[in-house]
């Protein structure tokens, strides 16, 4: 096996950790035709913030990838939070099954993950992440030969992670296939795009609020009896969208690096997001509530040799990523997964479980109104679960409060149809209970929040 740290020796790499897990695996000789695999997760990216899902958006590089691959229009995260969602990508399990149900729990080392299985099958593995709370201390480094994360900072720009990942791609030995996870964080709060992305924004607002973060939003609300004006909301959304456009620029540079240095035509590229961001339905500037703004994520698969190109309405989830990769490679995994290989999905109806983060207190909010909309306060102590099907989304809070929304012909979360459809609610509630029994919850011992993690969560607005 190559020594990845030597590959990266030319970089000013602030944190590349060679993990000792390789000795635990009997490596299987790799098929020389095995494709490179790239998993790209763009944090806090709403599907409709991108041009493959909304024609008025400006994400030309994501659009280029989408035009070469398969765009899944109905993709959801099982839990709209960074750690739980990513560990569902890596394990093929629901958060209740792998145990990481918030941004505090650490993935148990006994849990097999995607990178370990690919390493066992001859892959060199590397990860470049952009937020400290999904760094090595979270368990995300499991199975990676190289793991790079921010040091001395809560987060880093896409530019930094992409430059490191591109250098790895440029210097990794061609005789070994690589599995590379690239994580970028820019669309997440605070919304603070580079100066060149602030053109065409209101100059007075830019001068007064060059970025938007929770202390600023709370202060605006406190000065206005708990209210945020429609003007401030629109400006904040524009800042968020500019962060998305900046991130797209560096996505393009990474795709160019793959095309220049590796066999791009044979590569398997999966691009998604851990969760979206809410600017509606009573939830603003955060990713709670199990509404579409939080759970509907972009999901683009660029298959080797562009084998499938087009759009799909199949309901897919992060849980499907690992089994899809195993199916593509034709390998037998030791992992037990709850997801399914996308290649095996037919036209049969599908039901997917949705879970709300729990186990730690979300920071209190000063905001009471945004525009004409009253803000909904969802507490971490509440049990909030959901079930999404091809046609419906059913949500249940504390076992007693029911919500039912139509998903076809397009999602309508303005009208709760639960009272109008009591029989359907009863049926979906029963199906939800079946899912809970089928996917047994793993109970992890509460983990104290150390000073570093507390600083990170406070800086990102999760706690106060």
């Amino acid at each position: 096996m190559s020594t990845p740290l030597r590959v990266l020796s030319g970089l000013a790499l602030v944190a590349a950790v060679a993990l000792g897990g390789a000795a635990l695996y009997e490596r299987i000789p790799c098929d020389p035709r095995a494709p490179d695999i790239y998993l790209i997760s763009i944090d806090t990216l709403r599907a409709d913030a991108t041009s493959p899902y909304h024609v008025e958006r400006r994400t030309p590089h994501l659009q280029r990838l989408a035009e070469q691959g398969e765009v899944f229009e109905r993709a959801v995260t099982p839990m709209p939070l960074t750690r739980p969602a990513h560990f569902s990508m890596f394990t093929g399990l629901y958060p209740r099954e792998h145990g990481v149900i918030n941004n505090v729990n650490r993935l148990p080392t006994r849990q097999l993950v995607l990178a370990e299985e690919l390493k066992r099958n001859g892959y060199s593995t590397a990860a470049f992440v952009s937020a400290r709370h999904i760094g090595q201390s979270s368990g995300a480094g499991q199975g990676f030969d190289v793991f790079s994360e921010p040091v001395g900072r809560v987060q880093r720009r896409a530019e930094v992670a992409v430059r490191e990942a591109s250098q790895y791609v440029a210097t990794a030995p061609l005789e070994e296939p690589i599995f590379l996870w690239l994580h970028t964080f820019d669309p997440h709060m605070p919304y603070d795009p580079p100066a060149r992305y602030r053109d065409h924004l209101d100059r007075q607002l830019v001068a007064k609020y060059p970025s938007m973060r929770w202390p600023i939003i709370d202060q605006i609300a406190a000065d206005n009896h708990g209210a945020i004006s429609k003007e401030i909301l629109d400006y904040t959304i524009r800042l968020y969208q500019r962060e998305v456009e900046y991130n797209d620029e560096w996505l393009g540079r990474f795709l160019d690096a793959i095309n220049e240095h590796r066999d791009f035509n044979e590569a398997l590229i999966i691009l998604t997001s851990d969760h979206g961001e809410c600017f509606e339905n009573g939830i603003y500037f955060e990713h709670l509530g199990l509404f579409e703004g939080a759970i509907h994520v972009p999901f683009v698969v660029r298959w080797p040799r562009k084998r499938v190109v087009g759009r799909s309405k199949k309901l897919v989830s992060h849980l499907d990523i690992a089994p899809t990769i195993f199916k593509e490679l034709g390998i037998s995994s030791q992992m037990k997964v709850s997801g399914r290989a996308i290649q095996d999905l037919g036209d049969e109806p599908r039901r997917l479980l949705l879970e709300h983060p729990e186990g730690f207190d979300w920071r209190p909010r000063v905001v009471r109104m945004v525009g004409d909309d009253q803000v909904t306060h969802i507490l971490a102590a509440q049990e909030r679960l959901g079930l999404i099907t091809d046609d419906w989304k059913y949500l249940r809070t504390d076992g007693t409060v029911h919500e039912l929304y139509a998903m076809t012909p397009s999602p309508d979360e303005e009208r709760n149809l639960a009272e109008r459809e009591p029989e359907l609610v009863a049926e979906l509630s029963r199906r939800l209970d079946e899912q809970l029994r089928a996917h047994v919850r793993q109970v992890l011992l509460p983990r104290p929040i150390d000073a570093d993690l507390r600083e990170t969560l406070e800086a990102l607005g999760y706690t106060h």
Side-chain angles (χ1 to χ4, degrees), residues 404-426:
L404 179 67
Y405 301 106
M407 292 289 103
T408 55
S410 60
D412 179 5
E413 294 181 309
E414 296 297 324
R415 295 184 300 159
N416 180 3
L417 303 177
E419 291 188 2
R420 285 177 44 186
E421 301 283 350
E423 293 183 3
L424 181 57
V425 166

Side-chain angles (χ1 to χ4, degrees), residues 53-93:
Y53 296 85
H54 193 300
V55 295
E56 295 180 4
R57 304 304 184 208
R58 294 194 300 269
T59 55
H61 302 291
L62 205 164
Q63 181 68 30
R64 168 172 44 126
L65 184 69
E67 289 173 354
Q68 297 178 13
E70 191 170 12
V71 177
F72 290 86
E73 298 177 356
R74 297 288 313 283
V76 296
T77 178
M79 182 179 284
L81 205 61
T82 302
R83 281 190 186 183
H86 278 98
F87 291 141
S88 288
M89 298 181 205
F90 298 160
T91 65
L93 298 173

Side-chain angles (χ1 to χ4, degrees), residues 158-159 162-163 196 246-255:
E159 176 178 355
V162 167
R163 287 190 188 279
R196 68 183 185 279
Y246 161 76
N247 202 107
D248 183 74
E249 173 192 342
W250 286 94
L251 168 66
R253 297 196 187 198
F254 181 61
L255 296 176

Side-chain angles (χ1 to χ4, degrees), residues 191 193 198 200-212 216 220 229-242 279 285:
Y191 313 131
R198 299 169 194 260
H200 310 300
L201 296 178
D202 186 294
R203 292 187 178 182
Q204 289 184 330
L205 287 175
V206 169
K208 191 172 184 179
Y209 307 115
S211 68
M212 273 296 181
I216 296 173
I220 295 172
S229 68
K230 179 73 162 51
E231 179 187 35
I232 293 296
L233 170 63
D234 291 344
Y235 172 67
T236 303
I237 294 173
R238 289 190 182 98
L239 284 178
Y240 167 82
Q241 195 65 43
R242 297 301 184 272
F279 300 108
F285 323 121

Side-chain angles (χ1 to χ4, degrees), residues 10-269:
L11 289 173
L13 191 58
V14 292
V17 181
L19 306 177
L24 300 176
Y25 307 101
E26 179 183 354
R27 291 172 66 88
I28 300 170
C30 193
D31 186 332
R33 297 167 297 176
D36 288 341
I37 302 169
Y38 302 91
L39 174 59
I40 303 170
S41 59
I42 303 174
D43 214 289
T44 323
L45 181 62
R46 290 174 61 114
D48 64 5
T50 72
S51 49
Y53 296 85
H54 193 300
V55 295
E56 295 180 4
R57 304 304 184 208
R58 294 194 300 269
T59 55
H61 302 291
L62 205 164
Q63 181 68 30
R64 168 172 44 126
L65 184 69
E67 289 173 354
Q68 297 178 13
E70 191 170 12
V71 177
F72 290 86
E73 298 177 356
R74 297 288 313 283
V76 296
T77 178
M79 182 179 284
L81 205 61
T82 302
R83 281 190 186 183
H86 278 98
F87 291 141
S88 288
M89 298 181 205
F90 298 160
T91 65
L93 298 173
Y94 285 109
R96 64 188 293 106
E97 295 175 299
H98 59 62
V100 182
I101 55 174
N102 51 45
N103 275 338
V104 176
N105 287 0
R106 187 188 194 282
L107 186 71
T109 55
R110 65 180 179 273
Q111 176 63 60
L112 274 176
V113 295
L114 175 61
E116 291 173 307
E117 284 291 271
L118 292 176
K119 179 198 290 286
R120 188 173 68 89
N121 282 273
Y123 275 76
S124 295
T125 58
F128 302 86
V129 305
S130 299
R132 202 161 69 195
H133 67 299
I134 191 66
Q136 181 75 359
S137 63
S138 73
Q142 203 167 305
F144 286 102
D145 299 314
V146 168
F147 193 90
S148 172
E149 65 180 286
V151 171
R153 298 174 60 87
V154 169
Q155 64 185 91
R156 61 183 181 179
R157 287 287 193 191
E159 176 178 355
V160 179
V162 167
R163 287 190 188 279
E164 290 183 3
S166 298
Q167 184 66 14
Y168 179 89
V169 164
T171 54
L174 290 173
E175 63 271 15
E176 288 186 0
I178 61 175
F179 168 55
L180 189 150
W181 169 37
L182 173 65
H183 167 260
T184 57
F185 197 67
D186 302 278
H188 196 285
M189 173 82 77
Y191 313 131
D192 185 20
R196 68 183 185 279
Y197 280 88
R198 299 169 194 260
D199 294 345
H200 310 300
L201 296 178
D202 186 294
R203 292 187 178 182
Q204 289 184 330
L205 287 175
V206 169
K208 191 172 184 179
Y209 307 115
S211 68
M212 273 296 181
R213 56 195 74 219
W214 269 113
I216 296 173
I217 291 171
D218 283 346
Q219 188 59 56
I220 295 172
D223 293 341
N224 292 277
H225 308 289
I228 297 291
S229 68
K230 179 73 162 51
E231 179 187 35
I232 293 296
L233 170 63
D234 291 344
Y235 172 67
T236 303
I237 294 173
R238 289 190 182 98
L239 284 178
Y240 167 82
Q241 195 65 43
R242 297 301 184 272
E243 289 269 41
V244 172
E245 292 169 11
Y246 161 76
N247 202 107
D248 183 74
E249 173 192 342
W250 286 94
L251 168 66
R253 297 196 187 198
F254 181 61
L255 296 176
D256 289 343
I258 299 173
N259 194 40
E260 180 178 356
H261 300 289
R262 307 288 295 189
D263 192 341
F264 187 83
N265 189 53
E266 293 293 329
L268 172 63
I269 304 174

